[in-house]
Amino acid sequence: MTAVNGLTVDESLSEIGTLNFVEGVTAKARISLWRVDSGQRELTSEFSFQIKFDPARTCIGQIRRLSESFYFELQSRLAGWMAAGSTKVHEVYHLGQTAERTLAQAGSMALV
Protein backbone atom coordinates (compact mmCIF):
# COMPACT_ATOMS: atom_id res chain seq x y z
CA MET A 1 0.00 0.00 0.00
CA THR A 2 1.29 3.49 -0.84
CA ALA A 3 0.10 7.02 -0.15
CA VAL A 4 -1.89 8.64 -2.96
CA ASN A 5 0.18 11.49 -4.40
CA GLY A 6 2.44 11.23 -1.36
CA LEU A 7 -0.28 12.57 0.94
CA THR A 8 -1.21 11.21 4.34
CA VAL A 9 -4.84 11.76 5.29
CA ASP A 10 -6.05 11.96 8.87
CA GLU A 11 -9.69 10.91 9.29
CA SER A 12 -11.82 11.59 12.34
CA LEU A 13 -15.26 10.08 12.72
CA SER A 14 -17.83 11.62 15.04
CA GLU A 15 -21.21 10.23 15.92
CA ILE A 16 -23.49 13.28 15.95
CA GLY A 17 -26.85 11.76 16.84
CA THR A 18 -29.56 9.27 16.04
CA LEU A 19 -32.19 9.44 13.31
CA ASN A 20 -35.60 7.93 14.05
CA PHE A 21 -37.35 6.77 10.88
CA VAL A 22 -40.28 4.79 12.32
CA GLU A 23 -40.92 3.05 15.62
CA GLY A 24 -38.08 0.64 16.27
CA VAL A 25 -35.98 1.79 13.31
CA THR A 26 -33.10 4.14 14.06
CA ALA A 27 -29.87 5.12 12.38
CA LYS A 28 -26.60 6.38 13.80
CA ALA A 29 -25.65 9.67 12.13
CA ARG A 30 -21.94 10.38 11.65
CA ILE A 31 -19.65 13.01 10.22
CA SER A 32 -16.30 11.96 8.80
CA LEU A 33 -13.70 14.74 8.52
CA TRP A 34 -10.56 14.38 6.40
CA ARG A 35 -7.46 16.50 6.86
CA VAL A 36 -4.06 16.33 5.22
CA ASP A 37 -1.92 15.61 8.29
CA SER A 38 -3.35 15.77 11.78
CA GLY A 39 -4.29 19.27 12.96
CA GLN A 40 -4.25 20.84 9.49
CA ARG A 41 -7.21 22.52 7.78
CA GLU A 42 -10.15 20.39 6.71
CA LEU A 43 -9.91 18.86 3.26
CA THR A 44 -13.41 17.41 2.97
CA SER A 45 -16.13 15.82 5.03
CA GLU A 46 -18.91 13.30 4.64
CA PHE A 47 -22.24 12.74 6.38
CA SER A 48 -23.42 9.15 6.71
CA PHE A 49 -26.02 7.13 8.52
CA GLN A 50 -26.38 3.42 9.17
CA ILE A 51 -29.79 1.87 9.71
CA LYS A 52 -30.13 -1.27 11.78
CA PHE A 53 -33.45 -3.06 12.04
CA ASP A 54 -35.04 -6.47 12.35
CA PRO A 55 -36.33 -7.44 8.87
CA ALA A 56 -38.76 -9.90 10.45
CA ARG A 57 -40.53 -7.01 12.22
CA THR A 58 -40.13 -4.18 9.70
CA CYS A 59 -41.02 -3.71 6.04
CA ILE A 60 -37.77 -3.28 4.10
CA GLY A 61 -39.56 -1.32 1.36
CA GLN A 62 -40.81 1.24 3.88
CA ILE A 63 -37.32 1.68 5.33
CA ARG A 64 -35.84 2.11 1.85
CA ARG A 65 -38.45 4.75 0.92
CA LEU A 66 -37.96 6.68 4.18
CA SER A 67 -34.16 6.61 4.05
CA GLU A 68 -34.03 7.59 0.36
CA SER A 69 -36.52 10.40 0.98
CA PHE A 70 -34.36 11.69 3.86
CA TYR A 71 -31.21 11.42 1.73
CA PHE A 72 -32.68 13.35 -1.22
CA GLU A 73 -34.17 16.02 1.05
CA LEU A 74 -30.80 16.46 2.76
CA GLN A 75 -29.05 16.79 -0.61
CA SER A 76 -31.60 19.37 -1.72
CA ARG A 77 -31.21 21.51 1.40
CA LEU A 78 -27.41 21.33 1.37
CA ALA A 79 -26.91 21.79 -2.38
CA GLY A 80 -24.79 24.93 -1.91
CA TRP A 81 -22.45 23.13 0.46
CA MET A 82 -21.77 20.08 -1.71
CA ALA A 83 -19.42 19.47 -4.61
CA ALA A 84 -21.52 17.57 -7.16
CA GLY A 85 -20.08 14.18 -8.03
CA SER A 86 -17.15 14.57 -5.66
CA THR A 87 -16.02 12.03 -3.11
CA LYS A 88 -13.44 12.17 -0.32
CA VAL A 89 -11.05 10.04 -2.39
CA HIS A 90 -11.55 12.28 -5.44
CA GLU A 91 -10.53 15.28 -3.33
CA VAL A 92 -7.30 13.58 -2.27
CA TYR A 93 -6.40 12.73 -5.87
CA HIS A 94 -7.29 16.27 -6.99
CA LEU A 95 -5.25 17.87 -4.20
CA GLY A 96 -2.20 15.83 -5.12
CA GLN A 97 -2.54 16.68 -8.82
CA THR A 98 -2.88 20.37 -8.00
CA ALA A 99 0.26 20.25 -5.86
CA GLU A 100 2.17 18.45 -8.63
CA ARG A 101 1.09 21.05 -11.23
CA THR A 102 2.05 23.91 -8.92
CA LEU A 103 5.49 22.41 -8.32
CA ALA A 104 5.98 21.79 -12.05
CA GLN A 105 4.97 25.37 -12.88
CA ALA A 106 7.29 26.76 -10.21
CA GLY A 107 10.13 24.64 -11.60
CA SER A 108 9.52 25.92 -15.14
CA MET A 109 9.74 29.52 -13.89
CA ALA A 110 12.96 29.05 -11.98
CA LEU A 111 15.65 31.66 -12.58
CA VAL A 112 18.65 30.44 -14.51
Side-chain angles (χ1 to χ4, degrees):
M1 214 158 77
T2 61
V4 173
N5 292 324
L7 301 172
T8 301
V9 174
D10 177 62
E11 179 179 31
S12 60
L13 185 63
S14 300
E15 189 170 318
I16 60 170
T18 302
L19 304 171
N20 296 305
F21 287 98
V22 294
E23 187 176 329
V25 179
T26 61
K28 291 181 180 180
R30 296 183 173 115
I31 296 282
S32 171
L33 180 63
W34 279 22
R35 300 170 193 252
V36 176
D37 295 322
S38 181
Q40 297 297 315
R41 74 171 183 83
E42 296 82 11
L43 173 61
T44 189
S45 61
E46 176 182 78
F47 171 79
S48 63
F49 58 95
Q50 179 182 20
I51 301 172
K52 290 189 177 183
F53 63 94
D54 180 358
R57 293 184 25 205
T58 309
C59 174
I60 294 173
Q62 179 186 22
I63 300 304
R64 174 172 275 151
R65 284 189 301 279
L66 289 169
S67 64
E68 287 177 353
S69 175
F70 172 75
Y71 176 77
F72 291 130
E73 180 67 22
L74 192 61
Q75 278 190 321
S76 173
R77 291 182 184 220
L78 298 175
W81 289 80
M82 297 182 342
S86 184
T87 65
K88 293 184 299 186
V89 173
H90 174 266
E91 293 300 315
V92 171
Y93 276 98
H94 178 73
L95 182 65
Q97 291 169 355
T98 302
E100 287 174 10
R101 272 191 247 118
T102 302
L103 290 172
Q105 289 171 349
S108 67
M109 292 187 250
L111 297 174
V112 179

